Amino acid sequence: MKKTTFAKIFIRSFFVLAVGNYERMQNLGFLFVIAPVLKKVYPDREQRIEAYQRHLEFFNVNPYFMTIPAGIAIAMEEEKLPAKSISDMKMTLSGPLAAVGDSLIWAALRPFAAFSVIALMLITGIVRVPDGIIEVTELFNGWTFAVMSLLFLLIFNGYIMFLRYYGLKHGYEKKTGVVALIKKISDTNLVENIRRVGHYLMGITMVVVFFRDLTITPRLLFIGVFPILFFLIRKGVSVVLLFYVVVILSIVIKYL
Amino acid sequence: MFLRILWVSLIGGLINLDEHSAIQSMVCRPIIASPTIGYLLGDLNTGLVIGIMLELILFNVLPFGAAMPINFSIIAITATALAIFISESYRIPIVPSFIVWIIMCTVPLGLVFRELENMNRRFNIHLVHFAEKRILEGRFAIIEWITAVGILVSYLKAIVFIMIAIYGGLYLLPKLYLALPAKVLAGLETAYMLVFILGIAVVVSMLRVDFKRKNEKDNIR
């Protein structure tokens, strides 16, 4: 695959959910991503129609991992492998990639990246929480915001770019080795390590906020209320519902 | 005022696109979106405070699989814009009770917009069918056109929704807030601290590592 074609596919992979639909999910997005290659592989009109139609089947995967099946599909199309094997490959990979993506990206990397910005601001004192009220100090301005945002976006998107690029490259070059790649991604302790770092960062932030910013009454409130809320969230109670319950209870208590 | 609201809607619409339709770089998260809108409107600090509060309480809102979660970017954009506009127009100080009030009133917008997103996805089925027919006729460029149309529809939907939400909020929210009894305001003031604790509880529940399970694994080894 030429470098320009690779670049086109890489950029197109960012728009896989542009026409997301409930009938066949990312089907048109997948076709949009690999269309530049299908154009080259099938110069004959009828063959291209058939190839385009084939790739409008149901497809759904974590958007950051979609370059893996895209790379493999491109390699298989270039070798003119049977349509059913390409379709089976897409179906087989969708499930494990979605699972790995959900646990690695949504449940570990994104929360860690987002919280690391908040933690940094709280620990350094750019944002303080005197008596539980968020106060922005004069250390915060457009530049510190730009730096903080870049930090979050770099932590998150740095890894995502690596996943997208390497997924496409590896999928295209070593299509049969992809199962080993997925196993390698899911077997590493990456999820555990990210959550561990996030866990300790959380601990440090809580200690700093508790002892530096809170006075006696907010500390008692924190000790009393935090375990109840934490328990309810672990039990699966919706946080939005808890938000409204907490607000309404606060108002009701003032009337008692 | 109209130009500022239009500007917020145009930029907010782009931020909202990042949530589902394009790129997904997490610019749509409240911790980035709210301060960005705040910066646009000349009040970065309010944007940051609202951004932190929303990021904490919406921390575990995630698009697992095919699920469509509550739309957090719309909440972040409208909450920040309304807080700043209302505070400027009605000279209401941005105190904790005001912030809680604004967040209370804008969270339902995230739920309403989620339904709009669902409708959008159902509409997209027609776009896909249209593309399929054109492909059978050999008009292959339809793929790129339909992708562009899909993004444009999502963008326009967000712009219109944000504009309506801001104008509606500007009309309703200040009057309601100024009519609130003192005890309700005091309750909202206390609620701010509790909502912050709730946010910390959400983060801890998401980022915690189950040390007991790890120790059991070590024993098995």
Side-chain angles (χ1 to χ4, degrees), chain B residues 180-202:
Chain B
L180 288 174
K183 284 191 178 175
V184 173
L185 289 175
L188 290 174
E189 198 86 11
T190 315
Y192 185 100
M193 205 185 334
L194 294 174
V195 169
F196 184 72
I197 296 172
L198 172 68
I200 300 292
V202 180

Side-chain angles (χ1 to χ4, degrees), chain B residues 100-118:
Chain B
V100 175
W101 170 250
I102 293 290
I103 294 177
M104 269 181 77
C105 297
T106 49
V107 163
L109 292 175
L111 295 166
V112 171
F113 197 81
R114 180 179 62 182
E115 296 313 309
L116 272 182
E117 284 276 359
N118 286 330

Side-chain angles (χ1 to χ4, degrees), chain B residues 45-97:
Chain B
N45 289 5
T46 301
L48 180 66
V49 169
I50 294 177
I52 291 176
M53 289 291 272
L54 284 174
E55 183 68 41
L56 291 176
I57 60 179
L58 298 171
F59 206 70
N60 64 356
V61 172
L62 301 164
F64 284 113
M68 181 71 76
I70 184 171
N71 197 286
F72 40 78
S73 62
I74 285 290
I75 301 172
I77 294 158
T78 49
T80 312
L82 281 170
I84 295 170
F85 285 141
I86 292 173
S87 166
E88 284 173 1
S89 304
Y90 292 85
R91 299 188 199 285
I92 297 173
I94 299 184
V95 290
S97 60

Side-chain angles (χ1 to χ4, degrees), chain B residues 8-70:
Chain B
V8 166
S9 306
L10 291 173
I11 301 296
L14 285 177
I15 292 172
N16 181 255
L17 271 185
D18 182 67
E19 193 162 339
H20 294 294
S21 304
I23 305 174
Q24 285 109 22
S25 65
M26 295 297 114
V27 165
C28 55
R29 290 301 305 184
I31 193 66
I32 306 291
S34 280
T36 304
I37 299 293
Y39 181 76
L40 279 174
L41 297 176
D43 190 350
L44 188 55
N45 289 5
T46 301
L48 180 66
V49 169
I50 294 177
I52 291 176
M53 289 291 272
L54 284 174
E55 183 68 41
L56 291 176
I57 60 179
L58 298 171
F59 206 70
N60 64 356
V61 172
L62 301 164
F64 284 113
M68 181 71 76
I70 184 171

Side-chain angles (χ1 to χ4, degrees), chain A residues 12 14-15 17-25 27-28 31-32 35 45 48-49 52-53 56 60 63-64 102 106-108 110-112 114-115 117-118 121-122 127 129 131-134 136 140-142 145 149 152-153 156-157 164 192 195-196 198-200 202 206 209 218 221-222 225-226 229-230 233-234 239-240 242-244 246-247 250-251 254-255, chain B residues 20-27 29 31-32 35-36 44-45 48-49 52-53 55-57 59-60 62-66 68 70 96 100 103-104 107-108 118 121-122 124-125 127-129 131-132 135-138 140 143-144 146-147 150-151 181 183-184 186-188 190-198 200-209 211 214:
Chain A
R12 283 176 176 232
F14 287 91
F15 300 96
L17 265 171
V19 199
N21 60 89
Y22 283 130
E23 189 179 275
R24 283 172 267 169
M25 301 307 290
N27 66 332
L28 199 126
L31 179 58
F32 173 71
R45 185 174 171 274
R48 208 196 311 177
I49 290 174
Y52 270 43
Q53 276 199 287
L56 280 173
N60 189 43
Y64 307 114
D102 285 350
W106 297 135
R110 203 278 310 158
F112 169 72
F115 184 69
V117 174
I118 297 175
M121 286 196 281
L122 285 170
V127 170
V129 197
D131 294 338
I133 312 294
I134 300 174
V136 183
F140 184 75
N141 53 39
F145 169 57
S149 317
F152 168 51
L153 294 174
F156 185 81
N157 290 294
R164 287 190 193 265
E192 194 79 6
R195 288 168 72 109
R196 198 181 299 277
H199 184 100
Y200 289 129
M202 181 74 237
M206 278 171 71
V209 166
L221 199 62
F222 189 92
V225 171
F226 177 83
L229 292 174
F230 180 68
I233 292 164
R234 275 200 68 179
V239 179
V240 170
L242 276 176
F243 167 76
Y244 282 104
V246 155
V247 172
S250 305
I251 295 170
K254 293 292 172 188
Y255 277 93
Chain B
H20 294 294
S21 304
I23 305 174
Q24 285 109 22
S25 65
M26 295 297 114
V27 165
R29 290 301 305 184
I31 193 66
I32 306 291
T36 304
L44 188 55
N45 289 5
L48 180 66
V49 169
I52 291 176
M53 289 291 272
E55 183 68 41
L56 291 176
I57 60 179
F59 206 70
N60 64 356
L62 301 164
F64 284 113
M68 181 71 76
I70 184 171
V100 175
I103 294 177
M104 269 181 77
V107 163
N118 286 330
R121 286 203 171 176
R122 286 193 284 272
N124 284 344
I125 295 169
L127 290 180
V128 170
H129 290 171
E132 270 184 309
I135 287 167
L136 283 172
E137 294 165 12
F140 303 112
I143 296 297
E144 283 79 19
I146 289 291
T147 302
I151 294 171
K183 284 191 178 175
V184 173
L188 290 174
T190 315
Y192 185 100
M193 205 185 334
L194 294 174
V195 169
F196 184 72
I197 296 172
L198 172 68
I200 300 292
V202 180
V203 173
V204 173
S205 75
M206 273 221 76
L207 286 176
R208 82 189 192 290
V209 174
F211 287 105
K214 185 199 178 283

Side-chain angles (χ1 to χ4, degrees), chain A residues 164-178:
Chain A
R164 287 190 193 265
Y165 174 80
Y166 193 62
L168 183 60
K169 193 168 186 302
H170 194 105
Y172 179 71
E173 288 172 359
K174 300 182 192 177
K175 46 187 185 300
T176 53
V178 166

